[in-house]
Amino acid sequence: MTEISSYLEQVAFDHNINIVWTDKLAPETPPGCSIRYRSIVMNLNWHHPAEISFQLAHEISHILNGDETDICFYHATFTGKHSVEYKANTGAVKLMVPFYCQGVPKETINVYDFMESYEVPSHLDNIVREEVHNYYISNGY
């Protein structure tokens, strides 16, 4: 378990969201969540392990957003800025940026290192830049 995954698990716990980690799924089976049951199933066998933290933040965002559909599965492709998936991706970035930036001087933050480290889809680069900027502004930098 990575430090950011532990951080995200605490976020989930604080919002009464249950996370089930399983190694019983195929490498191509995406994680998913149930809005109604406030539960997430994460695939420990996922074929891109570096992506798992972003996936977890994405699924937490679905629940925090109260998305209309009950069952959501992770999709990394761009589906339009007004889609449920895009909003969950944006929420995932918002959840992860404070962890990534905490205690790091503004001058040394590299948006692309963040995106590469967590395999954040490239179409979210503007969102990442904006959230990093917002983090430092709100913390008085």
Side-chain angles (χ1 to χ4, degrees):
M1 179 81 55
T2 64
E3 286 183 41
I4 194 162
S5 292
S6 296
Y7 163 80
L8 291 169
E9 280 193 325
Q10 186 62 49
V11 170
F13 178 81
D14 291 346
H15 289 91
N16 298 313
I17 298 170
N18 182 47
I19 302 170
V20 176
W21 294 92
T22 183
D23 61 0
K24 306 290 187 223
L25 301 172
E28 297 79 25
T29 303
C33 69
S34 168
I35 310 304
R36 181 182 337 154
Y37 295 108
R38 299 184 70 80
S39 294
I40 298 168
V41 175
M42 293 298 300
N43 183 358
L44 290 168
N45 292 329
W46 185 249
H47 61 281
H48 293 291
E51 201 174 87
I52 290 175
S53 296
F54 183 75
Q55 291 176 336
L56 177 56
H58 174 98
E59 298 304 328
I60 291 170
S61 292
H62 274 304
I63 294 172
L64 294 178
N65 292 345
D67 291 335
E68 291 181 21
T69 182
D70 179 39
I71 305 294
C72 298
F73 293 99
Y74 177 75
H75 298 283
T77 57
F78 182 71
T79 55
K81 289 187 176 185
H82 300 291
S83 73
V84 169
E85 292 302 311
Y86 184 80
K87 289 176 184 173
N89 283 340
T90 299
V93 169
K94 289 179 180 183
L95 288 173
M96 295 174 78
V97 162
F99 175 86
Y100 186 78
C101 294
Q102 183 179 356
V104 179
K106 182 179 181 179
E107 308 76 48
T108 63
I109 285 293
N110 184 320
V111 168
Y112 296 104
D113 284 346
F114 171 85
M115 294 180 70
E116 186 176 312
S117 294
Y118 303 117
E119 293 194 26
V120 175
S122 62
H123 65 269
L124 297 172
D125 65 340
N126 287 336
I127 298 297
V128 174
R129 269 196 289 282
E130 180 180 326
E131 287 307 313
V132 166
H133 174 76
N134 290 344
Y135 172 84
Y136 286 105
I137 294 298
S138 68
N139 287 296
Y141 289 95

